[in-house]
Amino acid sequence: MPTAILTGQPVPGSSIESDLHSLGFDVRLAAGGADTEALLAEVPAQDRVAVVDARFVGHLHALRLGLTDPRFPLAAIPGALTAQAAGRPALARALARENGASGGTAVAVDSLADRVVTALDADGEGVHRPELGSLVAEVPADPQARNEARQAVASVDDEAVRLRSAVKARDGFFTTYCISPYSRYIARWCARRGLTPNQVTTASLITALIAAGCAATGTRGGFVAAGVLLIASFVLDCTDGQLARYSLQYSTLGAWLDATFDRIKEYAYYAGLALGAAKGGDDVWALALGAMILQTCRHVVDFSFNEANHDATANTSPTAALSDRLDSVGWTVWVRRMIVLPIGERWAMIAVLTAATTPRITFYALLAGCAFAATYTTAGRVLRSVTRKARRTDRAAQALADLTDSGPLAQGLARVLRGRGGHLAPFSAAGGVVLVVVGSWLWGPGWWTVLMAGAYVLTSAEAVSRPLKGALDWLVPPLFRAGEYLTVLILAAKSGVNGALPAAFGLVSAVAYHHYDTVYRIRGNAGAPPVWLVRVVGGQEGRTLLVAVLAALLTATQFTVALTVLAVAVALVVLVESIRFWVSAGAPAVHDEGEPA
C-alpha cells in the first residue's frame, strides 16, 4: 500500500486525510521536516510515498493526478509531491538537504512539500507536473485564503472535469461526435465496477474476432452482424483508453496490448472478409493483403517522420507554418482529420460497407481511401522536410536505423560500402524497391527475380551505410516495408495456386507485428528489439531474398507450404520475444495513444 506523509498541523474541517485514504494511501502524520524524514525512511523502498501539506485545499481529482499516475517516478502539484521506487533516493536526498538548511523545523508560510520540489528541480530531477486546468490545488496561508480556496473548489465539478479529461484531446470527427459522447460514461461505469483497461481491451479484441468470424460466414446476415460488432469493438477500443485516463491505470502490459491489438483486430477482420468472399466464389485475398500492406506502410511513414523530427533542432518550415495557420480555421481541422482516414472513420466505413455491399467493394473503397490519405500525408511531410532547415540528432538517426530492420546481409555489406561515394539513402532504397517489385511483377517466380532481389540487398545496404540524417531519410523504413511486403504479395499471386495468398497474408502479418513491436519499443525509449532477434528472422532484405529464392526453387504448391512454414516460424519467434519483453520489469510503463481515433 502506498504511504502519504501528512506534514504540519491539521486544519479543523479539512478533508485531506479522508481524500488520501480514498485514493488508497496509508496516512501518517508528521509534525515537521525531521519527522517526515524519519517516516520516509520507515516506508519500504519499493513502495510509493507522498508528502502532502496538511493545509492542502483542492479537488480530489487534482490529488489523483498528482499522486497516483504510475508513469512518472516523481510528480507534484502545489502542496503535494509523490515518488515511486525509482524516485525515492532523489526525494530522500532533497528532503535531507532541506531539513539541514532549515534545522528540521517547520516554516510558518512555505509548504515543506513545495520546498522539496524546488530542491528536486535544483538537482535536475524530472518532476512531472500534471495539467490541472480548472481544478484547484493550493496551500492557503490564512483563514481568508482558505475560505476562498474552498469556494473555488465548490464552484468546479471535478467529476465533470475528470470525465472530459478521459477523452483524448485530439481525435477524429467520428470518434469525437459519434463515440466519445457516451463511451466516457461506459468507462466510468467500468471504473466503478473495478474493471481494468486491459480487460476492456481484451473484450474489444474478442468482439472484433467474433466480427471477423461473422464476416467469414459469407452470408448477408453474417456481414450485417460483422459490421455491427466491428463498431461495438471500436466503442470498447475507445473505452479502454478513456478508462485508463479516467482511473490513471497505466501499465506496461496495457501499453503492449493497446499498441498491438488494434492492428490484430483490423487485419483479422480483413482475413474474415476474404474468407467470406471465398465462400461466395470471389477471391479477394490479394485485395486484403494489399489493404494490410498499405495501412502498415502508412503507419510506418507516421512513425518514421515523427521519430526523425521530434527532437530536431532549427526545425522550421513554411509548409508547417501554413499547416498551423489552417489549424486556426476551425472547419479545416475536421476536414484534414477526416481525409487522412483515421481508425474511427476507417472502421465506420468498413462496417457500413460490409453490412451493405460485398467484400470486394469494401476493399476497393478501403484501398482508394487509404491510398488518397497516404498520398496526402506523405506529400505534406515530404514538402515539410525539403523546406525546413533541421539538424537531426544521433538519437533520431539511431531510431530510423532500428526501424529499417536491416539484417546481417545489409549490415555486413554496409560496413564494406561505408564512406564510398555519395549517400542518397531514400533514392537507393527506392531504386531497390522498384527493381525487386517490378522484377517480381514481370518475371514472377524465377531466377531473374532472384537477381533483382540480390540487387535489392545491395541497395538496402547502401541506404543504411551512413547515419540516416538527411532531409528525406525518414522515407527509408516505409520504402523497405513496401519492398518486402509487395514482393511477397506479387510472388504469391504469380504462383497461381489456391492457398498461396492466404499463406502470404500470414507471413506479412507476422512480419508486420515484428515491425509494430519495434516501433512501440522505440516510442517507450526501450530501444530496438535485441540483435539476435533481427538476425534470426533475417532482416527485411534477408527475408525478401529468401522468398524470391524459394519461389524460384520450389513448385507452386511447395512454395505455398514454404510460405506457411515461414509465417509460423517468424510469428512464434517474434511473439515469444515480444511477450517476454512487454511483461518484463524493463518494459516502458507508458500508455501510448496510438493512431488518432
Side-chain angles (χ1 to χ4, degrees):
M1 175 181 288
T3 299
I5 301 173
L6 202 58
T7 66
Q9 185 65 35
V11 177
S14 173
S15 64
I16 181 61
E17 190 169 351
S18 62
D19 286 345
L20 290 170
H21 279 305
S22 71
L23 294 177
F25 284 93
D26 175 28
V27 180
R28 303 183 187 182
L29 303 179
D35 285 349
T36 301
E37 189 174 0
L39 289 173
L40 177 63
E42 295 176 4
V43 179
Q46 71 275 13
D47 288 357
R48 175 192 286 272
V49 67
V51 177
V52 183
D53 195 295
R55 299 165 297 169
F56 177 89
V57 174
H59 287 99
L60 176 63
H61 191 50
L63 281 172
R64 183 182 291 108
L65 289 171
L67 303 183
T68 67
D69 195 322
R71 296 173 295 176
F72 308 103
L74 293 164
I77 59 175
L81 78 146
T82 185
Q84 297 194 77
R88 288 280 300 276
L91 172 61
R93 288 193 300 270
L95 182 59
R97 191 167 67 253
E98 176 61 30
N99 286 338
S102 63
T105 60
V107 179
V109 176
D110 290 341
S111 165
L112 173 63
D114 292 340
R115 297 201 310 275
V116 172
V117 171
T118 301
L120 288 168
D121 287 336
D123 289 342
E125 302 291 343
V127 181
H128 171 69
R129 291 174 172 82
E131 288 288 340
L132 297 181
S134 59
L135 297 175
V136 176
E138 58 182 271
V139 179
D142 54 61
Q144 180 179 349
R146 173 170 295 277
N147 184 55
E148 292 173 353
R150 286 174 172 172
Q151 290 176 0
V153 170
S155 67
V156 176
D157 184 352
D158 72 335
E159 179 59 22
V161 173
R162 188 182 181 190
L163 269 176
R164 286 197 303 271
S165 62
V167 178
K168 282 198 292 190
R170 183 181 182 274
D171 248 335
F173 181 88
F174 178 76
T175 307
T176 299
Y177 291 104
C178 300
I179 304 296
S180 292
Y182 59 87
S183 61
R184 69 185 73 182
Y185 295 101
I186 300 176
R188 182 171 66 180
W189 182 90
C190 292
R192 291 177 175 177
R193 282 152 184 81
L195 297 177
T196 67
N198 292 350
Q199 291 170 332
V200 178
T201 302
T202 303
S204 175
L205 173 66
I206 293 171
T207 304
L209 294 179
I210 295 173
C214 291
T217 63
T219 64
R220 177 52 52 196
F223 288 148
V224 171
V228 172
L229 287 171
L230 188 63
I231 293 296
S233 174
F234 182 64
V235 172
L236 292 173
D237 183 54
C238 294
T239 300
D240 67 355
Q242 291 166 358
L243 174 58
R245 288 182 288 273
Y246 181 85
S247 55
L248 299 183
Q249 296 184 72
Y250 305 119
S251 67
T252 55
L253 179 61
W256 175 61
L257 295 178
D258 192 59
T260 57
F261 276 15
D262 279 353
R263 302 288 76 78
I264 294 173
K265 289 181 288 189
E266 186 168 1
Y267 299 159
Y269 192 82
Y270 293 174
L273 281 177
L275 288 170
K279 289 188 176 179
D282 190 12
D283 186 353
V284 297
W285 275 105
L287 297 177
L289 182 49
M292 181 169 68
I293 291 171
L294 181 55
Q295 192 56 39
T296 303
C297 290
R298 279 187 64 198
H299 286 145
V300 177
V301 166
D302 294 341
F303 300 145
S304 295
F305 181 80
N306 291 334
E307 285 300 323
N309 291 286
H310 87 280
D311 59 354
T313 58
N315 204 5
T316 59
S317 163
T319 308
L322 174 61
S323 177
D324 292 339
R325 285 197 296 272
L326 287 174
D327 280 344
S328 65
V329 182
W331 65 271
T332 66
V333 174
W334 292 118
V335 171
R336 294 170 69 207
R337 289 185 189 177
M338 291 173 67
I339 63 177
V340 300
L341 209 62
I343 189 171
E345 277 75 359
R346 192 167 68 249
W347 282 28
M349 181 184 74
I350 294 171
V352 171
L353 291 176
T354 299
T357 64
T358 66
R360 180 171 290 274
I361 292 175
T362 301
F363 280 124
Y364 280 153
L366 180 62
L367 285 165
C370 287
F372 176 81
T375 302
Y376 171 78
T377 55
T378 304
R381 286 166 178 170
V382 168
L383 283 174
R384 289 188 183 200
S385 298
V386 298
T387 58
R388 73 180 10 147
K389 297 179 180 179
R391 291 185 296 276
R392 290 178 173 82
T393 63
D394 291 337
R395 178 201 173 281
Q398 184 58 53
L400 290 180
D402 294 336
L403 286 172
T404 63
D405 189 31
S406 298
L409 288 176
Q411 291 177 354
L413 288 169
R415 286 191 287 271
V416 175
L417 296 172
R418 192 163 293 144
R420 302 191 179 199
H423 182 60
L424 298 172
F427 297 99
S428 298
V433 170
V434 170
L435 285 175
V436 72
V437 170
V438 173
S440 300
W441 182 266
L442 292 177
W443 297 300
W447 293 108
W448 279 108
T449 300
V450 173
L451 181 62
M452 295 300 101
Y456 175 73
V457 172
L458 288 173
T459 58
S460 296
E462 201 287 324
V464 299
S465 62
R466 294 183 185 177
L468 297 175
K469 292 186 175 182
L472 295 175
D473 285 1
W474 55 270
L475 285 169
V476 173
L479 284 169
F480 284 167
R481 298 297 83 78
E484 178 182 1
Y485 298 166
L486 286 173
T487 300
V488 175
L489 166 60
I490 294 170
L491 291 178
K494 291 282 187 176
S495 69
V497 298
N498 290 331
L501 281 168
F505 189 97
L507 175 58
V508 173
S509 297
V511 175
Y513 177 88
H514 167 56
H515 291 145
Y516 279 111
D517 184 59
T518 301
V519 163
Y520 288 109
R521 291 184 193 226
I522 293 171
R523 279 189 167 183
N525 294 317
V531 174
W532 70 261
L533 177 65
V534 177
R535 289 175 178 171
V536 167
V537 297
Q540 59 86 22
E541 81 292 344
R543 289 188 300 270
T544 304
L545 180 60
L546 176 61
V547 169
V549 171
L550 291 174
L553 282 175
L554 305 175
T555 66
T557 301
Q558 291 171 335
F559 179 57
T560 299
V561 174
L563 286 179
T564 304
V565 171
L566 188 58
V568 172
V570 171
L572 284 176
V573 173
V574 300
L575 276 173
V576 168
E577 163 56 22
S578 177
I579 293 171
R580 181 210 63 78
F581 171 76
W582 285 102
V583 301
S584 71
V590 298
H591 177 77
D592 189 89
E593 296 292 352
E595 180 185 1

